[in-house]
Amino acid sequence: MPLGSFSPHSPQTQAIAVLFGGILIVCGTIFLVVAGLVGYGLLGKTRSSWAQSLRPGRIETVWTATALAIVTAIFIASVRAMALIDAPKEDASGRTPDLAITGHQWWWDARYPNGAVAVSEIHIPAGRRLLARIGSADVIHDFWVPQLARKMDAVPGRSGYIWLEADAPGTYQGVCSEFCGAQHARMHLLVIAESEAEYAAWLRRQAEPARTPPPALYERRCAGCHTDPAKGPDLTHVAGRRTLGAALSENTPANLALWIAKPQSVKPGNRMPDQRLSNDEVGALAGYLGSLQ
Ligand code: CUA
Protein backbone atom coordinates (compact mmCIF):
# COMPACT_ATOMS: atom_id res chain seq x y z
CA MET A 1 0.00 0.00 0.00
CA PRO A 2 1.40 3.42 -0.89
CA LEU A 3 2.01 5.55 2.18
CA GLY A 4 -0.89 8.01 2.23
CA SER A 5 1.11 10.88 3.63
CA PHE A 6 3.45 10.72 0.63
CA SER A 7 0.83 9.95 -2.00
CA PRO A 8 -2.27 12.05 -1.25
CA HIS A 9 -5.23 11.86 -3.65
CA SER A 10 -7.70 14.33 -2.16
CA PRO A 11 -7.61 17.98 -1.00
CA GLN A 12 -7.93 16.71 2.58
CA THR A 13 -4.93 14.35 2.45
CA GLN A 14 -3.02 16.98 0.45
CA ALA A 15 -3.42 19.32 3.45
CA ILE A 16 -2.28 16.53 5.78
CA ALA A 17 0.76 15.86 3.56
CA VAL A 18 1.78 19.55 3.52
CA LEU A 19 1.42 19.75 7.31
CA PHE A 20 3.31 16.49 7.79
CA GLY A 21 6.11 17.53 5.42
CA GLY A 22 6.44 20.97 7.04
CA ILE A 23 6.61 19.57 10.58
CA LEU A 24 9.08 16.90 9.43
CA ILE A 25 11.41 19.57 7.98
CA VAL A 26 11.17 21.77 11.10
CA CYS A 27 11.75 18.86 13.49
CA GLY A 28 14.54 17.43 11.30
CA THR A 29 16.28 20.81 11.33
CA ILE A 30 15.95 21.05 15.13
CA PHE A 31 17.40 17.55 15.43
CA LEU A 32 20.39 18.42 13.26
CA VAL A 33 21.06 21.68 15.15
CA VAL A 34 20.80 20.03 18.58
CA ALA A 35 22.86 16.99 17.51
CA GLY A 36 25.45 19.37 16.01
CA LEU A 37 25.67 21.44 19.19
CA VAL A 38 25.97 18.31 21.37
CA GLY A 39 28.76 17.03 19.10
CA TYR A 40 30.43 20.41 19.24
CA GLY A 41 30.23 20.34 23.04
CA LEU A 42 31.64 16.82 23.20
CA LEU A 43 34.68 18.01 21.25
CA GLY A 44 35.46 20.30 24.21
CA LYS A 45 35.18 23.56 22.35
CA THR A 46 32.44 25.13 24.48
CA ARG A 47 34.83 27.40 26.35
CA SER A 48 35.35 29.59 23.35
CA SER A 49 31.75 29.38 22.13
CA TRP A 50 29.79 32.47 21.23
CA ALA A 51 27.11 31.59 23.71
CA GLN A 52 29.39 32.37 26.61
CA SER A 53 29.94 35.86 25.34
CA LEU A 54 26.22 36.70 25.54
CA ARG A 55 24.80 38.49 28.53
CA PRO A 56 23.41 36.10 31.16
CA GLY A 57 19.76 35.39 30.33
CA ARG A 58 20.05 36.42 26.68
CA ILE A 59 20.42 32.90 25.27
CA GLU A 60 17.48 31.63 27.34
CA THR A 61 15.36 34.43 25.89
CA VAL A 62 16.46 33.52 22.34
CA TRP A 63 15.67 29.84 22.56
CA THR A 64 12.40 30.37 24.44
CA ALA A 65 11.21 32.85 21.83
CA THR A 66 12.35 30.59 18.97
CA ALA A 67 10.56 27.54 20.42
CA LEU A 68 7.40 29.59 21.05
CA ALA A 69 7.44 30.91 17.47
CA ILE A 70 7.86 27.39 16.02
CA VAL A 71 5.08 25.90 18.16
CA THR A 72 2.77 28.82 17.36
CA ALA A 73 3.40 28.44 13.62
CA ILE A 74 2.69 24.68 13.80
CA PHE A 75 -0.47 25.37 15.83
CA ILE A 76 -1.80 27.87 13.30
CA ALA A 77 -0.96 25.58 10.36
CA SER A 78 -2.69 22.65 12.13
CA VAL A 79 -5.87 24.62 12.86
CA ARG A 80 -6.03 25.78 9.21
CA ALA A 81 -5.56 22.21 7.96
CA MET A 82 -8.21 20.92 10.38
CA ALA A 83 -10.72 23.41 8.98
CA LEU A 84 -10.28 21.78 5.58
CA ILE A 85 -10.04 18.16 6.78
CA ASP A 86 -12.71 17.86 9.48
CA ALA A 87 -16.24 17.16 8.33
CA PRO A 88 -19.28 18.73 10.04
CA LYS A 89 -21.74 16.67 12.02
CA GLU A 90 -24.89 16.16 10.03
CA ASP A 91 -27.05 18.29 12.27
CA ALA A 92 -24.63 21.21 12.47
CA SER A 93 -24.74 22.00 8.77
CA GLY A 94 -28.15 20.63 7.91
CA ARG A 95 -26.53 18.32 5.40
CA THR A 96 -27.25 14.65 5.82
CA PRO A 97 -24.49 12.09 5.17
CA ASP A 98 -24.16 10.74 1.63
CA LEU A 99 -23.34 7.32 3.04
CA ALA A 100 -23.11 5.56 6.39
CA ILE A 101 -20.07 3.31 6.87
CA THR A 102 -20.17 0.68 9.60
CA GLY A 103 -17.33 -1.46 10.93
CA HIS A 104 -18.06 -5.08 11.83
CA GLN A 105 -15.83 -7.91 13.02
CA TRP A 106 -14.23 -8.08 10.42
CA TRP A 107 -15.66 -6.30 7.42
CA TRP A 108 -17.14 -2.96 6.44
CA ASP A 109 -20.41 -1.99 4.88
CA ALA A 110 -21.64 1.31 3.50
CA ARG A 111 -25.30 2.17 3.12
CA TYR A 112 -26.49 4.90 0.78
CA PRO A 113 -29.78 6.84 1.16
CA ASN A 114 -31.32 5.16 -1.95
CA GLY A 115 -30.95 1.72 -0.33
CA ALA A 116 -27.71 0.69 -2.05
CA VAL A 117 -25.37 -1.40 0.12
CA ALA A 118 -21.64 -1.74 -0.46
CA VAL A 119 -19.65 -4.38 1.36
CA SER A 120 -15.95 -3.65 1.88
CA GLU A 121 -15.88 -1.95 -1.56
CA ILE A 122 -17.14 1.60 -1.27
CA HIS A 123 -17.90 3.45 -4.49
CA ILE A 124 -17.61 7.24 -4.73
CA PRO A 125 -17.71 9.73 -7.62
CA ALA A 126 -14.23 11.05 -8.45
CA GLY A 127 -13.80 14.75 -7.85
CA ARG A 128 -16.85 15.18 -5.59
CA ARG A 129 -16.76 15.35 -1.84
CA LEU A 130 -19.08 12.93 0.01
CA LEU A 131 -19.99 13.28 3.65
CA ALA A 132 -19.61 9.90 5.36
CA ARG A 133 -20.84 8.88 8.78
CA ILE A 134 -18.64 6.30 10.49
CA GLY A 135 -20.02 3.91 13.09
CA SER A 136 -19.56 0.41 14.46
CA ALA A 137 -21.85 -2.55 14.96
CA ASP A 138 -19.76 -4.24 17.65
CA VAL A 139 -16.34 -3.13 18.94
CA ILE A 140 -14.14 -0.10 18.25
CA HIS A 141 -12.67 -0.07 14.74
CA ASP A 142 -10.97 2.74 12.85
CA PHE A 143 -11.73 3.66 9.25
CA TRP A 144 -8.63 4.71 7.36
CA VAL A 145 -8.03 5.18 3.64
CA PRO A 146 -4.59 6.85 3.80
CA GLN A 147 -4.67 8.45 0.35
CA LEU A 148 -8.16 9.90 0.66
CA ALA A 149 -9.12 10.89 4.18
CA ARG A 150 -8.13 11.29 7.79
CA LYS A 151 -8.58 8.40 10.19
CA MET A 152 -11.86 8.14 12.03
CA ASP A 153 -12.64 5.85 14.95
CA ALA A 154 -15.72 3.68 14.51
CA VAL A 155 -17.20 3.56 18.00
CA PRO A 156 -20.37 1.60 18.90
CA GLY A 157 -23.21 3.97 19.76
CA ARG A 158 -21.42 7.03 18.40
CA SER A 159 -20.97 8.64 14.99
CA GLY A 160 -17.90 10.23 13.44
CA TYR A 161 -17.91 12.22 10.22
CA ILE A 162 -15.35 12.47 7.44
CA TRP A 163 -15.13 13.88 3.95
CA LEU A 164 -14.51 11.07 1.49
CA GLU A 165 -13.11 12.32 -1.78
CA ALA A 166 -10.71 11.23 -4.53
CA ASP A 167 -9.28 13.69 -7.03
CA ALA A 168 -9.03 11.05 -9.78
CA PRO A 169 -10.73 7.77 -10.68
CA GLY A 170 -8.98 4.75 -9.22
CA THR A 171 -8.99 2.12 -6.53
CA TYR A 172 -7.72 3.17 -3.12
CA GLN A 173 -6.89 0.74 -0.36
CA GLY A 174 -8.07 1.15 3.20
CA VAL A 175 -7.57 -0.66 6.48
CA CYS A 176 -9.00 -0.94 9.94
CA SER A 177 -6.55 1.00 12.05
CA GLU A 178 -7.62 0.04 15.57
CA PHE A 179 -7.04 -3.43 17.03
CA CYS A 180 -10.44 -5.12 17.04
CA GLY A 181 -9.83 -8.83 17.49
CA ALA A 182 -8.23 -11.84 15.89
CA GLN A 183 -8.75 -10.79 12.26
CA HIS A 184 -8.07 -7.07 12.71
CA ALA A 185 -5.18 -7.32 10.24
CA ARG A 186 -7.54 -8.71 7.60
CA MET A 187 -10.18 -6.01 7.78
CA HIS A 188 -9.34 -4.22 4.58
CA LEU A 189 -11.52 -2.28 2.19
CA LEU A 190 -11.36 -0.68 -1.22
CA VAL A 191 -12.64 2.74 -2.18
CA ILE A 192 -13.47 2.75 -5.88
CA ALA A 193 -13.64 6.25 -7.37
CA GLU A 194 -15.31 6.41 -10.77
CA SER A 195 -16.94 8.90 -13.12
CA GLU A 196 -20.29 10.44 -12.15
CA ALA A 197 -22.08 8.31 -14.79
CA GLU A 198 -20.46 5.06 -13.61
CA TYR A 199 -21.15 5.96 -10.00
CA ALA A 200 -24.81 6.74 -10.71
CA ALA A 201 -25.22 3.46 -12.60
CA TRP A 202 -23.56 1.50 -9.78
CA LEU A 203 -25.72 3.21 -7.15
CA ARG A 204 -28.90 2.40 -9.09
CA ARG A 205 -27.91 -1.23 -9.63
CA GLN A 206 -27.01 -1.82 -5.98
CA ALA A 207 -30.42 -0.58 -4.83
CA GLU A 208 -32.21 -3.17 -6.96
CA PRO A 209 -33.28 -6.52 -5.51
CA ALA A 210 -31.33 -9.68 -6.32
CA ARG A 211 -31.68 -10.70 -9.98
CA THR A 212 -32.45 -14.33 -9.20
CA PRO A 213 -34.91 -15.42 -6.50
CA PRO A 214 -33.05 -17.29 -3.77
CA PRO A 215 -33.21 -21.10 -3.82
CA ALA A 216 -34.58 -22.91 -0.77
CA LEU A 217 -31.07 -24.07 0.16
CA TYR A 218 -29.92 -20.44 0.41
CA GLU A 219 -32.97 -19.48 2.46
CA ARG A 220 -32.26 -22.33 4.84
CA ARG A 221 -28.50 -22.03 5.22
CA CYS A 222 -27.52 -18.42 4.52
CA ALA A 223 -30.38 -15.92 4.55
CA GLY A 224 -30.81 -15.93 8.34
CA CYS A 225 -27.53 -14.07 8.81
CA HIS A 226 -26.92 -12.49 5.42
CA THR A 227 -30.15 -10.50 5.43
CA ASP A 228 -29.41 -9.07 8.89
CA PRO A 229 -26.71 -6.39 8.80
CA ALA A 230 -25.93 -7.06 12.46
CA LYS A 231 -24.93 -10.64 11.63
CA GLY A 232 -23.47 -10.88 8.17
CA PRO A 233 -22.60 -8.94 5.03
CA ASP A 234 -25.31 -8.34 2.44
CA LEU A 235 -24.95 -10.65 -0.58
CA THR A 236 -27.60 -9.17 -2.89
CA HIS A 237 -24.98 -8.20 -5.50
CA VAL A 238 -22.02 -10.23 -4.28
CA ALA A 239 -20.92 -11.32 -7.76
CA GLY A 240 -20.36 -7.68 -8.74
CA ARG A 241 -17.61 -7.29 -6.14
CA ARG A 242 -13.93 -7.64 -6.92
CA THR A 243 -12.98 -9.22 -3.60
CA LEU A 244 -14.27 -11.46 -0.82
CA GLY A 245 -13.73 -11.49 2.95
CA ALA A 246 -12.99 -7.75 3.41
CA ALA A 247 -10.69 -7.48 0.39
CA LEU A 248 -8.93 -10.66 1.49
CA SER A 249 -9.14 -12.69 -1.69
CA GLU A 250 -10.13 -12.15 -5.30
CA ASN A 251 -13.78 -12.85 -6.07
CA THR A 252 -13.32 -15.95 -8.24
CA PRO A 253 -15.69 -18.96 -8.40
CA ALA A 254 -13.05 -21.11 -6.65
CA ASN A 255 -12.51 -18.60 -3.81
CA LEU A 256 -16.26 -18.15 -3.40
CA ALA A 257 -16.76 -21.92 -3.12
CA LEU A 258 -13.90 -22.12 -0.60
CA TRP A 259 -15.57 -19.45 1.57
CA ILE A 260 -18.86 -21.33 1.53
CA ALA A 261 -17.24 -24.70 2.24
CA LYS A 262 -14.56 -23.74 4.78
CA PRO A 263 -15.08 -20.21 6.14
CA GLN A 264 -13.12 -20.95 9.29
CA SER A 265 -10.02 -22.05 7.42
CA VAL A 266 -10.08 -18.99 5.13
CA LYS A 267 -10.51 -16.49 7.97
CA PRO A 268 -10.34 -18.20 11.37
CA GLY A 269 -12.55 -16.72 14.08
CA ASN A 270 -15.01 -14.98 11.76
CA ARG A 271 -18.71 -15.20 12.60
CA MET A 272 -19.61 -17.55 9.75
CA PRO A 273 -19.84 -21.12 11.07
CA ASP A 274 -18.61 -24.11 9.10
CA GLN A 275 -21.94 -25.72 8.11
CA ARG A 276 -20.45 -29.01 6.88
CA LEU A 277 -22.12 -28.66 3.50
CA SER A 278 -21.86 -31.40 0.92
CA ASN A 279 -19.95 -30.73 -2.29
CA ASP A 280 -23.24 -30.51 -4.18
CA GLU A 281 -24.61 -27.94 -1.74
CA VAL A 282 -21.42 -25.86 -1.97
CA GLY A 283 -21.63 -26.00 -5.76
CA ALA A 284 -25.29 -24.96 -5.79
CA LEU A 285 -24.74 -22.03 -3.40
CA ALA A 286 -21.61 -20.89 -5.24
CA GLY A 287 -23.52 -21.05 -8.52
CA TYR A 288 -26.41 -18.99 -7.15
CA LEU A 289 -24.17 -16.37 -5.48
CA GLY A 290 -21.98 -16.22 -8.56
CA SER A 291 -25.02 -15.15 -10.58
CA LEU A 292 -25.83 -12.15 -8.36
CA GLN A 293 -24.28 -9.32 -10.36
CU1 CUA B 1 -11.63 -3.55 12.85
CU2 CUA B 1 -9.37 -3.51 13.49
Side-chain angles (χ1 to χ4, degrees), residues 106 141 176-180 184 187:
W106 291 278
H141 305 275
C176 176
S177 183
E178 179 89 35
F179 181 74
C180 57
H184 154 71
M187 191 172 159

Side-chain angles (χ1 to χ4, degrees), residues 86-91 93-101 111 113 128-134 160-165:
D86 287 344
K89 287 180 169 52
E90 58 186 320
D91 50 359
S93 70
R95 177 174 177 171
T96 55
D98 300 296
L99 69 165
I101 299 169
R111 288 169 187 268
R128 182 153 63 90
R129 199 169 69 160
L130 296 190
L131 179 60
R133 188 174 68 217
I134 312 290
Y161 298 86
I162 59 164
W163 294 118
L164 195 53
E165 178 173 10

